[in-house]
mmCIF file of all heavy atoms in Angstrom:
data_model
loop_
_atom_site.group_PDB
_atom_site.id
_atom_site.type_symbol
_atom_site.label_atom_id
_atom_site.label_comp_id
_atom_site.label_asym_id
_atom_site.label_seq_id
_atom_site.Cartn_x
_atom_site.Cartn_y
_atom_site.Cartn_z
ATOM 1 N N ALA A 352 -7.068 2.307 15.153
ATOM 2 C CA ALA A 352 -5.638 1.985 15.057
ATOM 3 C C ALA A 352 -5.266 1.793 13.600
ATOM 4 O O ALA A 352 -5.939 1.065 12.877
ATOM 5 C CB ALA A 352 -5.336 0.720 15.852
ATOM 6 N N LEU A 529 1.933 -19.166 -6.126
ATOM 7 C CA LEU A 529 0.925 -20.194 -5.849
ATOM 8 C C LEU A 529 0.017 -20.290 -7.078
ATOM 9 O O LEU A 529 -0.321 -19.280 -7.678
ATOM 10 C CB LEU A 529 0.105 -19.697 -4.656
ATOM 11 C CG LEU A 529 -0.507 -20.664 -3.661
ATOM 12 C CD1 LEU A 529 0.551 -21.584 -3.070
ATOM 13 C CD2 LEU A 529 -1.183 -19.877 -2.518
ATOM 14 N N TRP A 567 17.463 -2.690 2.605
ATOM 15 C CA TRP A 567 16.592 -1.527 2.443
ATOM 16 C C TRP A 567 15.142 -1.919 2.225
ATOM 17 O O TRP A 567 14.843 -2.803 1.415
ATOM 18 C CB TRP A 567 17.029 -0.694 1.237
ATOM 19 C CG TRP A 567 18.244 0.149 1.491
ATOM 20 C CD1 TRP A 567 18.869 0.384 2.688
ATOM 21 C CD2 TRP A 567 19.000 0.880 0.502
ATOM 22 N NE1 TRP A 567 19.945 1.213 2.509
ATOM 23 C CE2 TRP A 567 20.059 1.542 1.187
ATOM 24 C CE3 TRP A 567 18.880 1.052 -0.877
ATOM 25 C CZ2 TRP A 567 20.987 2.339 0.525
ATOM 26 C CZ3 TRP A 567 19.814 1.861 -1.524
ATOM 27 C CH2 TRP A 567 20.845 2.496 -0.828
ATOM 28 N N LYS A 684 -2.638 7.920 -15.512
ATOM 29 C CA LYS A 684 -1.848 7.245 -16.549
ATOM 30 C C LYS A 684 -1.639 5.758 -16.209
ATOM 31 O O LYS A 684 -1.642 4.896 -17.084
ATOM 32 C CB LYS A 684 -0.492 7.971 -16.653
ATOM 33 C CG LYS A 684 0.450 7.407 -17.682
ATOM 34 C CD LYS A 684 1.750 8.225 -17.736
ATOM 35 C CE LYS A 684 2.905 7.331 -18.146
ATOM 36 N NZ LYS A 684 4.201 7.752 -17.642
#
Side-chain angles (χ1 to χ4, degrees):
L529 211 55
W567 283 351
K684 180 178 150 208

